[in-house]
């Protein structure tokens, strides 16, 4: 009997339910449900509607029953850093505040009054980003201390949804590391750091590794979806799941997980918490088998998504790529600049940056897209050289995985600016990594190496030189 494995991959703008199965020795994917997502402004705070998202999770699971393809197991992955707090009865306390909310403004300085930025990196290996959980929790402690003290549990967003599916309160390793509160050596919470910061220690739950089965569906969920299945933790941070799907077993692989964010890096057995890594803004996040995904965050296709939404929401990304490739504008903006993180208007932000740096100001949609694509590729090239310097190794190619691997013009530019070949695909890397974890758990693959070899033979990879 054919086995199905359900990956529920929830991103900042949409979520998908993707079934994976093996057919004639290859991995086959089938998207069975899709739903929109986005932060909502609730009384001046940017939040996630977790109740609505969970209703969509159940709707997609029910769809599996409707089409007669009941999954053997299910796992959920999302973005990092955001969390919810629960009371003793398991009910949510307060709001599920999103990472683009400005409550964390200046919270880095509050943290650094307790532990210096240098010491914080040395003990966690996580790059400074103002939206990291550590700064969110500091904002909560300062602005609403009673809620923190009342909390019986803190769960990261995918952990919360897993809890609502099966009733188990655990925190998955890769997602937990995005908090900037995990010890990269012990791979557990840094409780000494948590105490120093004055956070409620009791709310931190046990960290479990990807591939751990944490239970079966609750009676209520079974009733709503029409079946029971096992809940298996994938690398719940979408980047870590995506990295699992790199279609190669060669050592010293450089990758870009390309989507709303571009995450560029390499896999390592041990974290590098050196001063040099900190200055280059590299981070040591968790991955499958306790591996370290040593990477840097680049603003990514968020900029393209924003200008598309603002100027031409109906145009396809493929058409936008093609139009941009015909432009000759030479303006380059700094994709890492904070002005592009959460502007009220991305078009105006790009234009203002161009004026400030005395470059040609892009006016049309194709010009704006060309500026972003060229700026991203230049940023990739600079970070690629940093990776080689930090690791002391040379990399002969770059694997681009995720939805951004379909951006032909960006792939061409990346190959041109880095001087190495670009292997683009698979596009559904995050869902594939989620599914691979479940398949390894059930014994379809003996390990990640065998699973990656199957990815390479199952999906088309485009090569750019």
């Amino acid at each position: 009997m054919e086995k199905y494995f359900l990956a529920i991959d929830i991103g900042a703008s949409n979520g998908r339910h993707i079934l994976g199965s093996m057919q004639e020795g290859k991995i086959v994917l089938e998207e069975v449900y899709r739903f929109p997502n986005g932060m909502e402004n609730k009384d001046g705070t940017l939040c996630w509607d977790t109740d609505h998202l969970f209703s969509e999770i159940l709707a997609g699971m029910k769809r599996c029953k409707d089409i007669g393809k009941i999954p053997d197991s299910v796992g959920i992955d999302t973005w990092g850093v955001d969390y919810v707090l629960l009371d003793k009865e398991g009910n949510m306390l307060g709001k599920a505040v999103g990472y683009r909310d400005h409550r964390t403004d200046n919270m880095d300085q509050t943290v650094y009054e307790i532990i210096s930025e240098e010491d914080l990196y040395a003990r966690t290996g996580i790059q400074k980003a103002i939206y990291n959980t550590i700064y969110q929790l500091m904002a909560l402690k300062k602005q609403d201390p009673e809620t923190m003290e009342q909390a019986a549990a803190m769960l990261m967003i995918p952990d919360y949804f897993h809890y609502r599916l099966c009733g188990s309160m655990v925190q998955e390793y890769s997602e937990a590391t995005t908090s900037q509160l995990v010890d990269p050596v012990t791979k557990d919470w840094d409780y000494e750091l948590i105490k120093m910061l004055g956070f409620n220690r009791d709310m931190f739950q046990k960290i479990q590794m990807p591939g751990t089965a944490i239970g079966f569906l609750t009676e209520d969920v079974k009733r709503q979806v029409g079946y029971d299945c096992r809940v298996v933790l994938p690398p719940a941070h979408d980047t870590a799941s995506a990295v699992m799907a790199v279609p190669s077993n060669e050592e010293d692989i450089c990758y870009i997980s390309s989507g709303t964010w571009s995450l560029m890096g390499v896999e390592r057995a041990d974290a590098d918490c050196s001063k040099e890594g900190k200055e280059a803004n590299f981070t040591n996040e968790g991955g499958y088998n306790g591996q370290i995904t040593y990477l840097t965050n680049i603003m990514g296709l968020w900029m393209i998504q924003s200008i598309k939404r603002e100027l031409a929401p109906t145009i396809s990304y493929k058409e936008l790529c093609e139009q941009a490739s015909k432009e000759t504008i030479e303006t380059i903006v700094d994709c890492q600049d904070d002005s592009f993180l959460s502007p009220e208007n991305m078009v105006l932000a790009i234009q203002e940056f161009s004026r400030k740096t005395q470059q040609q100001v892009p006016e049309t949609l194709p010009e704006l897209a060309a500026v972003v694509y060229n700026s991203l590729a230049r940023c990739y090239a600079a970070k690629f050289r940093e990776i080689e310097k930090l690791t002391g190794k040379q990399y002969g190619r770059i694997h681009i995985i995720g939805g951004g691997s379909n951006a032909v013009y960006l792939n061409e530019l990346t190959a041109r600016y880095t001087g190495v070949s670009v292997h683009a695909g698979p596009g559904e890397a995050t869902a594939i990594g989620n599914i691979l974890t479940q398949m390894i758990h059930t014994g379809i693959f003996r390990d990640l190496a065998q699973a990656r070899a199957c990815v390479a033979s199952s999906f088309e990879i485009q090569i750019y030189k």
Side-chain angles (χ1 to χ4, degrees), residues 9 13 22 51 113 132 225 275 318 389 397 407 414:
D9 172 29
S13 59
M22 294 295 295
D51 285 339
E113 290 173 3
N132 284 354
V225 303
K275 179 181 178 182
K318 180 180 180 181
K389 182 179 179 180
R397 67 187 184 196
T414 303

Side-chain angles (χ1 to χ4, degrees), residues 370-387:
V371 167
V372 173
Y373 284 130
N374 276 272
S375 299
L376 274 175
R378 288 287 184 92
C379 188
Y380 292 165
K383 291 298 182 182
F384 182 63
R385 300 306 169 204
E386 282 187 343
I387 290 171

Side-chain angles (χ1 to χ4, degrees), residues 112-247:
Y112 301 152
E113 290 173 3
I114 300 169
I115 179 172
S116 71
E117 184 176 357
E118 292 73 21
D119 288 346
L120 182 59
Y121 186 87
R123 68 188 298 155
T124 67
I126 299 298
Q127 72 179 104
K128 190 279 186 72
I130 195 60
Y131 46 75
N132 284 354
T133 318
I134 188 173
Y135 306 115
Q136 293 196 42
L137 288 174
M138 183 56 71
L140 180 71
K141 178 188 170 189
K142 291 291 184 181
Q143 299 161 14
D144 189 9
E146 290 184 2
T147 296
M148 178 179 285
E149 289 307 311
Q150 291 170 6
M154 181 199 80
L155 295 177
M156 306 298 275
I157 293 292
D159 302 321
Y160 174 61
F161 291 138
H162 285 137
Y163 160 68
R164 290 189 65 171
L165 283 180
C166 69
S168 295
M169 284 191 187
V170 301
Q171 290 177 296
E172 185 276 326
Y173 167 63
S174 70
E175 185 79 6
T177 62
T178 70
S179 68
Q180 206 171 357
L181 291 165
V182 171
D183 184 322
V185 177
T186 66
K187 306 187 189 305
D188 196 1
W189 296 113
D190 186 336
Y191 286 109
E192 183 181 10
L193 175 61
I194 288 167
K195 181 179 180 180
M196 289 168 58
L197 295 168
F199 297 160
N200 175 4
R201 174 193 168 115
D202 294 338
M203 68 186 185
F204 292 87
Q205 305 299 298
K206 180 177 176 59
I207 291 177
Q208 297 279 11
M209 283 292 167
T212 302
I214 60 171
F216 289 85
L217 303 182
T218 67
E219 291 300 322
D220 182 56
V221 171
K222 281 192 292 185
R223 178 183 56 79
Q224 293 188 64
V225 303
Y227 58 86
D228 194 10
C229 70
R230 184 179 287 106
V231 177
V232 175
L233 295 179
H237 186 211
D238 49 14
T239 301
S241 269
V243 170
M244 283 188 70
V246 171

